[in-house]
Amino acid sequence: MNILILGSGGREHALAWKLAQSKKISKVFIGPGNAGTSFTGTNISLNPENFMEVKRAVLDHDIGMVVVGPEAPLVAGIHDYFLEDDYLRNIPLIGPDRCGARLEGSKEFAKGFLKRNNIPTAAYRSFDLSNVEEVRPFLKELDPPYVIKADGLAAGKGVVILNDIEEAEKEVLDMLHGKFGKAGSKVVVEQFLKGIELSVFIITDGHSYKLLPEAKDYKKAGEGDTGLNTGGMGAVSPVPFADESFMLKVKETIIDPTINGLINEGIVYKGFIFFGLINVNGDPFVIEYNARLGDPESEVVIPRIKSDLFDLLEGVAEGNLQERCLEVYDDYVTTIMLVSGGYPGTYKKGKVISGLDKVNNSVVFHAGTMISGDEVLTSGGRVIAVSSRGKTMKEALAESYHNAGLISFGNIYYRTDIGFDL
Ligand code: AMP
Ligand code: GLY
């Protein structure tokens, strides 16, 4: 079968790399992909949010399954588009429909879902222009810092954490008055939770699920978790504190009630769920749901999967995931994200990347890269993820850092302390 992966980041390169290893797959297509995916499979120039272009690609390349990497096409209803089309309805698409994607696409929906299903999460209230006068009294009920979230997708910028109550109130009002456009027409205000975060992933066919390896992502741009939030500067898997007893709590208090909640609310969810969790004194709480895999988490989670990933995707498509087998490597995998200096602020693109051919004992997953003639150029903030395996986290990190040092491009930057807190 030919498979199409939608997206253009390190996550999609990792998916393409893994699926290309499946005996059941003839050709891997990536739309639009990046320089790295063009070496792993075949890139198709398309916009994943333009469903007609996606359909064209499915027809032109005899695609038998579509895997959606990023959230935007899911929230915009690509799964529904497939189900409503006479031809596409027979092509399985991995990723939830519009209804299921609200777990990520609407913070208010996600918080309501968590509450209805008694899943541990921070106390919250939701506001719109009709109840703004209640913002201040609610903030007074909370202890600072205050966590303020635009309801909809806001390109990763929709969460603001503030210490000052005046500033917090102003932020809520700014969001409600259009700071993030329609994404802020509702705003969730919630209690700040103190603890260490981790990312937990499952794949589900809507009835049963498989637990994928967990990971820890390093979101801050600076060493020691300082500076601005980014899409992620590195990741490690497994996460040492996510031991058997902690993961049993995650299963019993979070994952199982989520799956049962989806079933009870009539949501047929076929795809990945990413649980953004925080460990508060040994108990897991949900910070957020995402309707997709994480990035750069995928660059460590996917290399830890031993089984044929396509077999699991087929289980999702056919609704018999329970009969499929998921085997995982015990090894550690770490990834270091090489970024363009200045990211997540302004940065230059089009820098020549050299040294990729020197890399040994690591896998290089491309994110913001493009091909120009016979050169590979930078084309984004996050450029390349260097993933390595080791018997210990230290061993894996040493390999990632050694190989990261062999790669260069103008104004390269990366954190040198990934895993420092574990
Ligand atoms: P989100 O987009 O919901 O993942 O939020 C972005 C980041 O804000 C998270 O990764 C956390 O670091 C932080 N955050 C969100 N909600 C809370 C909370 N209730 N308590 C503490 N930190 C939070
Ligand atoms: N690394 C966090 C995310 O993918 O949202």
Side-chain angles (χ1 to χ4, degrees):
M1 177 196 288
N2 293 342
I3 195 160
L4 170 62
I5 301 161
L6 296 179
S8 62
R11 167 183 51 214
E12 288 75 22
H13 192 185
L15 283 166
W17 169 83
K18 181 70 181 167
L19 290 168
Q21 296 166 29
S22 171
K23 289 194 182 66
K24 293 186 185 171
I25 293 193
S26 326
K27 278 187 171 169
V28 178
F29 291 90
I30 310 93
N34 55 39
T37 61
S38 75
F39 305 133
T40 310
T42 307
N43 286 353
I44 305 176
S45 169
L46 61 77
N47 171 2
E49 287 167 65
N50 183 328
F51 303 159
M52 267 156 35
E53 284 181 19
V54 175
K55 179 175 179 180
R56 184 78 266 149
V58 169
L59 292 169
D60 286 352
H61 301 282
D62 191 23
I63 301 296
M65 180 185 282
V66 176
V67 184
V68 184
E71 64 279 10
L74 297 168
V75 173
I78 193 168
H79 198 133
D80 311 74
Y81 179 85
F82 269 56
L83 294 179
E84 286 155 15
D85 184 279
D86 284 340
Y87 180 82
L88 294 178
R89 89 163 47 102
N90 300 309
I91 311 295
L93 179 137
I94 308 300
D97 65 4
R98 195 184 274 122
C99 222
R102 282 182 301 168
L103 284 184
E104 176 163 6
S106 166
K107 304 265 188 212
E108 185 191 45
F109 175 81
K111 293 297 283 190
F113 179 90
L114 288 161
K115 202 169 166 188
R116 286 195 292 285
N117 291 289
N118 291 315
I119 299 170
T121 192
Y124 81 106
R125 266 197 70 182
S126 175
F127 299 94
D128 58 25
L129 284 175
S130 74
N131 61 351
V132 276
E133 70 289 348
E134 292 162 37
V135 173
R136 184 73 173 209
F138 181 65
L139 286 169
K140 280 189 180 159
E141 285 175 32
L142 302 176
D143 295 319
Y146 308 98
V147 183
I148 299 150
K149 301 184 173 183
D151 177 56
L153 296 183
K157 297 196 167 67
V159 178
V160 181
I161 300 177
L162 293 167
N163 274 306
D164 182 81
I165 196 164
E166 308 281 338
E167 283 177 30
E169 186 180 24
K170 182 171 179 306
E171 184 64 37
V172 176
L173 293 172
D174 287 351
M175 285 189 187
L176 289 174
H177 286 111
K179 179 176 177 184
F180 295 118
K182 262 175 58 187
S185 57
K186 288 179 193 159
V187 173
V188 166
V189 177
E190 68 180 43
Q191 179 69 61
F192 181 84
L193 297 175
K194 197 162 163 45
I196 183 159
E197 287 178 56
L198 83 158
S199 308
V200 169
F201 304 93
I202 63 163
I203 182 166
T204 176
D205 60 4
H207 322 280
S208 71
Y209 69 87
K210 301 277 187 211
L211 178 65
L212 303 176
E214 77 287 350
K216 184 166 192 304
D217 171 26
Y218 291 80
K219 288 202 174 83
K220 297 282 184 188
E223 308 272 316
D225 285 342
T226 55
L228 294 174
N229 257 325
T230 69
M233 298 293 293
V236 304
S237 176
V239 180
F241 70 76
D243 57 13
E244 210 170 308
S245 89
F246 183 81
M247 289 309 287
L248 187 65
K249 288 185 193 169
V250 171
K251 176 181 171 353
E252 287 178 349
T253 66
I254 293 170
I255 303 177
D256 291 346
T258 297
I259 294 292
N260 291 333
L262 289 168
I263 293 170
N264 292 338
E265 298 191 15
I267 299 171
V268 184
Y269 195 109
K270 286 177 173 287
F272 296 99
I273 304 180
F274 167 165
F275 301 83
L277 305 183
I278 190 160
N279 175 354
V280 183
N281 302 322
D283 288 322
F285 284 71
V286 176
I287 292 267
E288 63 165 351
Y289 285 115
N290 293 307
R292 53 171 173 84
L293 287 174
D295 193 350
E297 289 96 327
S298 297
E299 290 93 303
V300 296
V301 168
I302 291 173
R304 285 198 60 215
I305 299 175
K306 193 170 184 181
S307 321
D308 181 351
L309 179 60
F310 179 71
D311 189 54
L312 297 178
L313 301 182
E314 206 176 43
V316 172
E318 294 175 6
N320 57 15
L321 184 61
Q322 204 164 13
E323 297 159 24
R324 311 291 170 139
C325 142
L326 169 63
E327 266 190 284
V328 167
Y329 293 107
D330 290 334
D331 304 3
Y332 276 81
V333 178
T334 59
T335 201
I336 309 302
M337 191 60 85
L338 312 183
V339 310
S340 303
Y343 171 79
T346 51
Y347 54 84
K348 293 215 169 66
K349 299 181 189 175
K351 304 284 183 195
V352 178
I353 304 171
S354 62
L356 292 171
D357 51 331
K358 298 195 195 116
V359 170
N360 192 10
N361 274 334
S362 289
V363 188
V364 164
F365 294 120
H366 290 227
T369 68
M370 60 177 276
I371 300 242
S372 170
D374 50 12
E375 289 182 320
V376 178
L377 306 182
T378 67
S379 66
R382 292 195 291 172
V383 177
I384 274 172
V386 184
S387 296
S388 318
R389 193 181 289 283
K391 284 279 161 249
T392 60
M393 188 166 71
K394 214 172 148 188
E395 212 177 287
L397 283 166
E399 207 63 74
S400 282
Y401 278 119
H402 170 72
N403 283 298
L406 301 175
I407 300 171
S408 61
F409 52 84
N411 220 5
I412 188 172
Y413 169 74
Y414 54 89
R415 273 181 65 170
T416 61
D417 66 342
I418 298 304
F420 78 99
D421 55 341
L422 294 178

